[in-house]
């Protein structure tokens, strides 16, 4: 098992078979369910793994335990991708204490039945638990991503165990691509709604010296990767874009809306703007959401369908609103062969969002581009370049 710091070992597992994480996020490169072991005078295990991998996880534990038995199982997060194997653990190691906060134990009973677990150790904000050389300090991180979430900080090695925060999709056995791309898709898909809470916990850990972050998904972050990840998290928690330019998110049935989107891209590029165009029908929905948060400006191009917004665009806008999309400029291109009406409805989908500026110029395409709609595209391009 891989050692990540003095006396601290990675004992997690890779899931390369799962198609959709949480039943909705496509994970072509799988995902890892991380767990860690601190082997000191006393032994602490940090989090368990998904139910499908319980036995594999126990085997990993045996490898680092060297015949000893764990004294503690620290439960940072109760979502079943991390908590489902807790009962397997307590059956194997009945004397170990399960460490969590008050909310953790309410959920443990919910999942495993009244009175579970028998050996409970309730910890509070900033309390520490010593194992010998190592001590964990617990930092509550409510709603990052569930209410019971807590981080744990090892004072001896300056290791921050960050639960879901700083995680990403992708099994550890797969070749790692850019950390930020899959981490952004993971962040905005899963915790994007809770920017205020992420910001609050970043503030709480801001005064700590941190040598590495050990999340519950994805790689342990150290050195340049660590500073880069913190840089991105500060931006994402504040809903600040991390790229420049305009994202054009387009859904087109016969190609005419796509032509309007392409023409807008050309006009914007001619005016010196960086532009990215995505196809809302074919691009993974969570990637579309992540891209919308990446850029400061967004134009949604969609067809009117059954007097409503075409489904791919409707779902996209709903997903943005659900995740507190904010601090952006938004414009619209609507198409409709006989009654283009979806721009108003698209705007209505975002009406509850805070700090959005809507472009005054909307492009209306009837069937296909013509001189009038091209003129509107130019006006929208001018406005977005102001
Ligand atoms: Fe990885 Fe919120 O569970």
């Amino acid at each position: 098992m891989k050692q990540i710091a003095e006396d601290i070992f990675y004992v997690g597992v890779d899931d390369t078979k799962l198609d959709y994480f949480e039943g909705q996020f496509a994970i072509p490169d799988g995902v890892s369910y991380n767990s860690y072991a601190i082997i000191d005078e006393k032994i602490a295990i940090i989090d368990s793994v998904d139910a499908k991998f319980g036995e594999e996880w126990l085997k990993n534990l045996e490898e680092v335990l060297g015949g000893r038995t764990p004294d503690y199982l620290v439960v940072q997060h109760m979502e079943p991708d991390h908590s489902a194997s807790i009962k397997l653990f307590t059956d194997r190691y009945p004397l170990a204490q399960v460490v969590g906060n008050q909310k953790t134990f309410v959920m443990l009973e919910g999942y495993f039945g009244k009175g579970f677990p028998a050996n409970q150790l309730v910890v509070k904000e900033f309390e520490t638990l010593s194992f010998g050389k190592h001590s964990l300090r617990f930092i509550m991180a409510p709603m990052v991503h569930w209410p019971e979430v807590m981080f744990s900080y090892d004072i001896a090695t300056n290791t921050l165990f960050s639960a879901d925060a700083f995680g990403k999709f992708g099994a550890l056995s797969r070749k790692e691509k850019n950390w930020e791309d899959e981490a952004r898709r993971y962040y905005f898909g899963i915790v994007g709604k809770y920017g205020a809470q992420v910001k609050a916990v970043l503030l709480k850990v801001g005064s700590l010296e941190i040598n590495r972050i050990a999340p519950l998904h994805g790689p342990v972050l150290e050195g340049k990767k660590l500073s880069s990840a913190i840089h991105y998290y500060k931006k994402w928690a504040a809903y600040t874009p991390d790229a420049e330019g305009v994202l054009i998110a387009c859904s087109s049935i016969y190609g005419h809306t796509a032509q309007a989107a392409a023409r807008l891209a050309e006009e914007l590029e001619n005016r010196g703007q960086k532009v990215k165009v995505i196809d809302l029908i074919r691009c993974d929905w969570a990637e579309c959401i992540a891209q919308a948060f990446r850029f400061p400006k967004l134009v949604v191009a969609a067809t009117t369908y059954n007097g409503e917004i075409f489904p791919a665009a409707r779902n996209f806008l709903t997903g943005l609103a659900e995740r507190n999309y904010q601090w952006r400029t938004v414009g619209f291109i609507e198409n409709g062969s006989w009654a283009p009406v979806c721009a108003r409805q698209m705007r209505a989908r975002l009406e509850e969002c805070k700090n959005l500026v809507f472009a005054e110029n909307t492009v209306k395409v009837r069937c296909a581009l013509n001189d009038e709609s091209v003129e509107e595209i130019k006006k929208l391009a001018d406005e977005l370049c102001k």
Side-chain angles (χ1 to χ4, degrees):
M1 286 291 105
K2 192 182 167 207
Q3 185 164 4
I4 67 155
E6 193 186 354
D7 309 319
I8 306 180
F9 296 85
Y10 177 81
V11 288
V13 297
D14 265 358
D15 188 345
T16 53
K17 296 260 162 61
L18 187 69
D19 48 2
Y20 290 99
F21 184 77
E22 288 188 355
Q24 56 175 339
F25 299 101
I27 45 168
D29 289 320
V31 68
S32 66
Y33 309 116
N34 298 351
S35 168
Y36 304 93
I38 302 177
I39 310 292
D40 201 347
E41 285 165 34
K42 291 201 169 174
I43 294 177
I45 309 301
I46 299 174
D47 288 305
S48 84
V49 299
D50 184 88
K52 295 192 293 294
F53 299 90
E55 289 297 338
E56 184 182 334
W57 173 59
L58 289 184
K59 231 176 180 179
N60 291 348
L61 291 187
E62 274 174 25
E63 262 186 52
V64 298
L65 288 171
R68 295 171 65 194
T69 54
D71 299 279
Y72 302 103
L73 173 64
V74 175
V75 180
Q76 300 188 115
H77 184 16
M78 276 303 297
E79 192 167 5
D81 52 333
H82 310 294
S83 70
S85 300
I86 292 175
K87 174 94 172 39
L88 203 64
F89 176 92
T90 55
D91 286 347
R92 178 74 58 93
Y93 302 111
L95 298 179
Q97 282 192 295
V98 177
V99 182
N101 55 63
Q102 261 181 343
K103 289 175 190 160
T104 318
F105 289 106
V106 174
M107 289 188 189
L108 273 164
E109 284 205 335
Y111 279 109
F112 298 106
K114 213 161 171 46
F116 182 87
N119 285 331
Q120 303 185 3
L121 179 61
V122 182
V123 292
K124 295 195 179 106
E125 176 85 308
F126 302 134
E127 218 171 277
T128 57
L129 181 61
S130 176
F131 314 118
K133 265 194 291 181
H134 298 264
S135 311
L136 284 182
R137 178 180 297 158
F138 302 103
I139 299 145
M140 300 303 140
M143 301 320 294
V144 185
H145 142 236
W146 281 17
E148 85 300 352
V149 171
M150 60 185 194
F151 291 0
S152 315
Y153 174 71
D154 176 40
I155 296 163
T157 60
N158 299 337
T159 301
L160 181 69
F161 298 95
S162 61
D164 272 345
F166 296 93
K168 72 182 269 292
F169 298 124
L172 296 176
S173 55
R174 296 282 168 91
K175 191 170 160 35
E176 203 194 345
K177 298 168 190 160
N178 261 359
W179 179 87
E180 61 269 25
D181 290 340
E182 279 298 71
R184 188 191 294 105
R185 190 166 75 94
Y186 170 95
Y187 176 86
F188 284 109
I190 291 172
V191 282
K193 180 180 172 70
Y194 305 112
Q197 289 85 347
V198 176
K199 212 169 163 182
V201 78
L202 288 179
L203 263 179
K204 277 202 269 184
V205 300
S207 58
L208 299 174
E209 194 177 324
I210 297 173
N211 289 350
R212 69 190 59 74
I213 288 183
L216 287 180
H217 302 285
V220 172
L221 300 161
E222 289 183 299
K224 275 189 190 155
K225 282 188 175 175
L226 173 64
S227 41
S228 165
I230 292 172
H231 161 84
Y232 277 112
Y233 255 67
K234 283 184 178 165
K235 278 188 181 280
W236 297 341
Y239 297 95
T240 306
D242 66 75
E244 285 181 5
V246 182
L247 178 74
I248 304 175
C250 172
S251 65
S252 187
I253 304 173
Y254 294 105
H256 300 99
T257 313
Q259 281 162 11
R263 181 60 190 257
L264 176 64
E266 191 187 321
E267 295 292 338
L268 287 165
E269 279 165 352
N270 288 344
R271 288 162 177 76
Q273 282 279 337
K274 285 186 182 156
V275 183
K276 184 176 175 72
V277 181
I278 53 168
D279 179 346
L280 290 173
I281 298 169
R282 287 163 191 89
C283 180
D284 168 66
W285 76 269
E287 178 59 17
C288 295
I289 296 277
Q291 289 297 330
F293 280 100
R294 193 171 160 224
F295 288 94
K297 295 171 190 174
L298 167 70
V299 175
V300 189
T303 316
T304 305
Y305 196 80
N306 286 334
E308 248 282 0
I309 311 161
F310 187 74
R314 189 167 63 209
N315 294 343
F316 171 65
L317 291 161
T318 304
L320 289 182
E322 250 178 55
R323 288 163 179 77
N324 284 328
Y325 187 64
Q326 53 187 280
W327 295 112
R328 303 293 191 278
T329 300
V330 185
F332 301 105
I333 296 174
E334 64 177 357
N335 195 350
S337 302
W338 70 94
V341 293
C342 68
R344 185 173 37 83
Q345 296 174 25
M346 289 196 279
R347 181 173 170 153
R349 291 261 158 184
L350 299 178
E351 213 62 78
E352 304 269 292
C353 297
K354 287 178 289 183
N355 302 311
L356 290 186
V357 174
F358 292 103
E360 282 174 14
N361 292 282
T362 292
V363 177
K364 192 185 286 284
V365 179
R366 283 183 184 272
C367 306
L369 279 181
N370 58 21
D371 290 348
E372 205 178 326
S373 45
V374 167
E375 208 42 51
E376 287 173 355
I377 285 173
K378 288 179 180 169
K379 280 186 188 160
L380 178 58
D382 284 339
E383 187 181 354
L384 291 171
C385 292
K386 260 184 209 162

